[in-house]
Amino acid sequence: MSTGTVGKESTSRYFPPSILKYFKRKLKWSSKKEAQSSAATPPSAPVPPSSTGSSLTKLEDKNNNNGFTTTTPPTHFDTADSPKMTSSNPPQKKRRIALGCEGSANKLGIGIISHDITTGEATVLSNIRDTFVSPPGTGFLPKDTAAHHRAFFVRVAKTALSTAGIPISEIDCICYTKGPGMGAPLTSVAIGARTLSLLWNKPLVGVNHCVGHIEMGRTITGADNPVVLYVSGGNTQVIAYAEQRYRIFGEALDIAVGNCLDRFARTLEISNDPAPGYNIEQLAKQGGRVLLDLPYAVKGMDCSFSGILTRADELALMMKQGKKGPDGEPFTPADLCFSLQETIFAMLVEITERAMAHVGSNQVLIVGGVGCNERLQEMMGAMAAERGGSVYATDERFCIDNGIMIAHAGLLAYETGFETPLEESTCTQRFRTDEVFVKWRD
């Protein structure tokens, strides 16, 4: 995965003074504790493939009152009958382990994954996430989101390590989101990743956020070579793989589909907890009495959502003023959410079907936060079924931004020999999916 060099600057620009001292004080991971952890905790075992073809451990997420996410640790090997190691029988490394740091938007995620060196099988060891939630009617500002990530980074990292049950010495590399995303949150998490890299003397691997979603989706679902619909708060792309690149066949010309939904949630002053798009989805399930007329803006393989949002905002104002809909009856927020979803999802289905026809694929993989939407999955499934194909999607643990997808994609790149030097460990808000050289695929 080639990330390129974004300017040559002094190390102090990438690693502010006193930050190392701060993290040393907060982390308090001594070599003595690491040795105790290594002696007390046996390695984690891969699980058999699930019914969807996934070889990953299925973990149950539990949210507490402050939005902090924890996971259930994987099962462990019984080492009672393991052969004793002697100087003539040195231990051999059976797996590679990566720690991934994600913070491109309002979710801070740190995950740890292992790859079996012989089989390549992936096992999720931990997948921890903490979300910055802004008040209803507002969005999340970069400075506030970055402050959240800085405040919670140490806590999330320590929880990820304790959940994984591994010593630091077993970690092979530290992976972080290089881009795309919001500048301030990206930078905050990159500083944390550099700190861990220096503290533990581990190589860094910069990861493209979009590629992380794709590789995690492929591994979880077992999709072979699908057309990928990547839909999130910051990106809308239809993608297919060819010649070691993820090629973009179509995308949003203005705002992303997730941004459209989030901004409309602000118009209706819908709660941002757990996510504005999720709350719009629940409201839409109560609507359907009337399909309000919204612009349908498909231009070739591309989409435009800004005009739809403008018209939806106008209808919301009419609703608040007590005006009636096209059928002469008042309409509700549920009717607005239903109409918005039906229109924009129909656009996404159209361009995805066109890409499937072009590349001759009968598989669709939906990734990104909006990919959790059940109505989108239902509409895409109906289209794929008519073509004799199938749709693959994951649940919120892996659809929504998370650290494990960064760890997974970063470890795939690391296994090909890729590393990111400290002086090149920058972030960029614009890092296109097709810029990445996917060396780990044929």
Side-chain angles (χ1 to χ4, degrees), residues 27 29 97-102 109-113 153 157 161 166-178 189-207 403 406-411 414 418-421 425:
L27 290 171
W29 284 315
I97 297 177
L99 181 146
C101 307
E102 156 60 24
I110 296 181
I112 300 176
I113 198 167
F153 187 91
L161 273 174
I166 60 168
I168 295 168
S169 58
E170 285 196 32
I171 296 175
D172 291 277
C173 60
I174 307 297
C175 310
Y176 77 98
T177 302
K178 187 177 180 69
V189 175
I191 289 174
R194 293 185 204 116
T195 302
L196 297 182
S197 173
L198 291 173
L199 276 175
W200 301 339
N201 193 28
K202 306 291 183 181
L204 271 173
V205 179
V207 177
I406 302 302
H408 181 51
L411 190 52
Y414 176 77
F418 178 81
E419 295 180 11
T420 302
S425 60

Side-chain angles (χ1 to χ4, degrees), residues 49 57 79 83 231 335 357 371 398:
T57 306
T79 57
V231 278
D335 294 324
F398 304 107

Side-chain angles (χ1 to χ4, degrees), residues 254-301:
D254 37 44
I255 61 174
V257 60
N259 186 250
C260 177
L261 293 170
D262 292 351
R263 288 166 65 174
F264 188 63
R266 291 180 225 167
T267 299
L268 297 181
E269 297 184 346
I270 296 173
S271 172
N272 291 322
D273 188 14
Y278 173 81
N279 293 326
I280 283 182
E281 179 185 1
Q282 303 315 307
L283 266 177
K285 291 177 181 178
Q286 303 170 23
R289 181 188 63 80
V290 59
L291 180 64
L292 299 170
D293 187 27
L294 294 172
Y296 187 93
V298 172
K299 303 178 181 181
M301 286 295 295

Side-chain angles (χ1 to χ4, degrees), residues 231-431:
V231 278
S232 69
N235 299 274
T236 301
Q237 297 175 349
V238 177
I239 302 163
Y241 175 80
E243 298 179 348
Q244 296 190 302
R245 301 272 178 180
Y246 285 112
R247 313 286 178 174
I248 300 173
F249 282 76
E251 57 191 319
L253 296 174
D254 37 44
I255 61 174
V257 60
N259 186 250
C260 177
L261 293 170
D262 292 351
R263 288 166 65 174
F264 188 63
R266 291 180 225 167
T267 299
L268 297 181
E269 297 184 346
I270 296 173
S271 172
N272 291 322
D273 188 14
Y278 173 81
N279 293 326
I280 283 182
E281 179 185 1
Q282 303 315 307
L283 266 177
K285 291 177 181 178
Q286 303 170 23
R289 181 188 63 80
V290 59
L291 180 64
L292 299 170
D293 187 27
L294 294 172
Y296 187 93
V298 172
K299 303 178 181 181
M301 286 295 295
D302 299 324
C303 291
S304 174
F305 299 105
S306 58
I308 300 172
L309 177 62
T310 299
R311 179 55 180 162
D313 286 345
E314 291 174 351
L315 289 171
L317 180 60
M318 292 170 57
M319 177 193 68
K320 293 176 181 178
Q321 293 173 344
K323 295 182 179 179
K324 297 181 179 180
D327 60 351
E329 296 292 332
F331 55 94
T332 65
D335 294 324
L336 279 169
C337 292
F338 171 81
S339 301
L340 182 62
Q341 278 199 169
E342 292 298 303
T343 303
I344 62 177
F345 292 167
M347 294 161 56
L348 295 175
V349 169
E350 178 183 337
I351 63 174
T352 303
E353 183 176 18
R354 193 174 293 124
M356 292 174 69
H358 181 77
V359 302
S361 174
N362 64 352
Q363 295 181 340
V364 179
L365 172 63
I366 308 176
V367 299
V370 182
C372 296
N373 190 291
E374 294 176 356
R375 179 55 180 158
L376 174 59
Q377 294 179 12
E378 180 184 3
M379 293 173 68
M380 196 68 70
M383 177 275 290
E386 290 179 358
R387 301 180 60 86
S390 52
V391 171
Y392 298 82
T394 64
D395 60 28
E396 68 278 358
R397 293 171 300 171
F398 304 107
C399 254
I400 297 173
D401 292 350
N402 59 86
I404 202 67
M405 71 182 194
I406 302 302
H408 181 51
L411 190 52
L412 288 172
Y414 176 77
E415 289 168 341
T416 69
F418 178 81
E419 295 180 11
T420 302
L422 181 65
E423 62 272 14
E424 297 180 15
S425 60
T426 54
C427 299
T428 174
Q429 293 179 264
R430 291 176 173 83
F431 186 8

Side-chain angles (χ1 to χ4, degrees), residues 22-31 33-34 154 158 168 199:
Y22 168 79
F23 272 90
K24 282 182 176 179
R25 184 175 69 253
K26 294 287 286 184
L27 290 171
K28 296 181 181 178
W29 284 315
S30 65
S31 58
K33 289 183 179 180
E34 179 181 322
V154 171
K158 292 180 73 173
I168 295 168
L199 276 175

Side-chain angles (χ1 to χ4, degrees), residues 5-10 14 423-424:
T5 303
V6 186
K8 295 285 185 179
E9 302 181 53
S10 65
Y14 305 102
E423 62 272 14
E424 297 180 15

